[in-house]
Short mmCIF file of all heavy atoms in Angstrom, two decimals:
data_model
loop_
_atom_site.label_atom_id
_atom_site.label_comp_id
_atom_site.label_asym_id
_atom_site.label_seq_id
_atom_site.Cartn_x
_atom_site.Cartn_y
_atom_site.Cartn_z
N ASN J 1042 -6.17 1.07 -12.38
CA ASN J 1042 -6.83 2.07 -13.22
C ASN J 1042 -6.24 2.11 -14.62
O ASN J 1042 -6.97 2.25 -15.60
CB ASN J 1042 -6.73 3.45 -12.57
CG ASN J 1042 -7.53 3.52 -11.29
OD1 ASN J 1042 -8.54 2.84 -11.16
ND2 ASN J 1042 -7.07 4.32 -10.34
N GLN J 1043 -4.93 1.99 -14.72
CA GLN J 1043 -4.32 1.96 -16.04
C GLN J 1043 -4.81 0.76 -16.82
O GLN J 1043 -5.06 0.81 -18.02
CB GLN J 1043 -2.79 1.92 -15.91
CG GLN J 1043 -2.21 3.20 -15.36
CD GLN J 1043 -0.76 3.07 -14.97
OE1 GLN J 1043 -0.26 1.97 -14.68
NE2 GLN J 1043 -0.05 4.19 -14.94
N LEU J 1044 -4.94 -0.35 -16.10
CA LEU J 1044 -5.44 -1.56 -16.72
C LEU J 1044 -6.86 -1.34 -17.24
O LEU J 1044 -7.16 -1.64 -18.40
CB LEU J 1044 -5.44 -2.67 -15.67
CG LEU J 1044 -5.01 -4.07 -16.08
CD1 LEU J 1044 -4.95 -4.94 -14.86
CD2 LEU J 1044 -5.89 -4.66 -17.13
N ARG J 1045 -7.69 -0.81 -16.41
CA ARG J 1045 -9.09 -0.62 -16.80
C ARG J 1045 -9.21 0.29 -18.01
O ARG J 1045 -10.04 0.09 -18.89
CB ARG J 1045 -9.88 -0.05 -15.63
CG ARG J 1045 -11.38 -0.04 -15.90
CD ARG J 1045 -12.12 0.76 -14.87
NE ARG J 1045 -11.39 1.98 -14.56
CZ ARG J 1045 -11.66 2.80 -13.55
NH1 ARG J 1045 -12.63 2.49 -12.73
NH2 ARG J 1045 -10.95 3.89 -13.36
N ASP J 1046 -8.34 1.32 -18.05
CA ASP J 1046 -8.41 2.25 -19.17
C ASP J 1046 -8.06 1.60 -20.50
O ASP J 1046 -8.38 2.12 -21.56
CB ASP J 1046 -7.47 3.44 -18.93
CG ASP J 1046 -7.95 4.30 -17.78
OD1 ASP J 1046 -9.13 4.15 -17.38
OD2 ASP J 1046 -7.15 5.11 -17.26
N GLN J 1047 -7.36 0.47 -20.44
CA GLN J 1047 -6.99 -0.19 -21.68
C GLN J 1047 -7.96 -1.27 -22.09
O GLN J 1047 -7.79 -1.90 -23.14
CB GLN J 1047 -5.59 -0.80 -21.54
CG GLN J 1047 -4.51 0.25 -21.39
CD GLN J 1047 -3.19 -0.25 -21.96
OE1 GLN J 1047 -3.12 -1.28 -22.61
NE2 GLN J 1047 -2.14 0.50 -21.69
N LEU J 1048 -8.94 -1.52 -21.28
CA LEU J 1048 -9.88 -2.59 -21.61
C LEU J 1048 -10.72 -2.22 -22.82
O LEU J 1048 -11.19 -1.08 -22.92
CB LEU J 1048 -10.81 -2.85 -20.41
CG LEU J 1048 -10.18 -3.43 -19.16
CD1 LEU J 1048 -11.20 -3.47 -18.04
CD2 LEU J 1048 -9.66 -4.83 -19.44
N GLU J 1049 -10.91 -3.16 -23.71
CA GLU J 1049 -11.80 -2.89 -24.85
C GLU J 1049 -13.24 -3.16 -24.44
O GLU J 1049 -14.14 -2.44 -24.82
CB GLU J 1049 -11.42 -3.78 -26.02
CG GLU J 1049 -9.92 -3.68 -26.33
CD GLU J 1049 -9.62 -3.91 -27.78
OE1 GLU J 1049 -10.39 -4.63 -28.44
OE2 GLU J 1049 -8.59 -3.36 -28.26
N VAL J 1050 -13.42 -4.21 -23.67
CA VAL J 1050 -14.75 -4.47 -23.12
C VAL J 1050 -14.73 -4.00 -21.67
O VAL J 1050 -13.88 -4.42 -20.90
CB VAL J 1050 -15.05 -5.98 -23.12
CG1 VAL J 1050 -16.46 -6.23 -22.62
CG2 VAL J 1050 -14.84 -6.55 -24.51
N GLU J 1051 -15.65 -3.14 -21.32
CA GLU J 1051 -15.70 -2.69 -19.93
C GLU J 1051 -15.98 -3.86 -19.00
O GLU J 1051 -16.73 -4.76 -19.34
CB GLU J 1051 -16.81 -1.65 -19.75
CG GLU J 1051 -16.34 -0.24 -20.05
CD GLU J 1051 -17.31 0.80 -19.48
OE1 GLU J 1051 -17.87 0.54 -18.41
OE2 GLU J 1051 -17.46 1.86 -20.13
N MET J 1052 -15.37 -3.79 -17.84
CA MET J 1052 -15.75 -4.79 -16.85
C MET J 1052 -15.66 -4.18 -15.47
O MET J 1052 -15.01 -3.16 -15.27
CB MET J 1052 -14.91 -6.06 -16.98
CG MET J 1052 -13.52 -5.99 -16.47
SD MET J 1052 -12.59 -7.52 -16.81
CE MET J 1052 -12.23 -7.35 -18.55
N ASP J 1053 -16.36 -4.77 -14.54
CA ASP J 1053 -16.44 -4.19 -13.22
C ASP J 1053 -15.09 -4.25 -12.51
O ASP J 1053 -14.32 -5.21 -12.67
CB ASP J 1053 -17.49 -4.94 -12.40
CG ASP J 1053 -17.88 -4.16 -11.18
OD1 ASP J 1053 -18.64 -3.19 -11.31
OD2 ASP J 1053 -17.38 -4.50 -10.08
N LEU J 1054 -14.83 -3.22 -11.71
CA LEU J 1054 -13.57 -3.21 -10.97
C LEU J 1054 -13.43 -4.44 -10.10
O LEU J 1054 -12.34 -5.00 -9.98
CB LEU J 1054 -13.49 -1.96 -10.10
CG LEU J 1054 -12.81 -0.75 -10.74
CD1 LEU J 1054 -12.86 0.44 -9.79
CD2 LEU J 1054 -11.34 -1.08 -11.05
#
Side-chain angles (χ1 to χ4, degrees):
Chain J
N1042 293 330
Q1043 292 168 336
L1044 219 174
R1045 189 191 42 191
D1046 292 345
Q1047 293 209 10
L1048 293 173
E1049 308 210 332
V1050 184
E1051 273 197 34
M1052 76 185 76
D1053 196 77
L1054 268 177

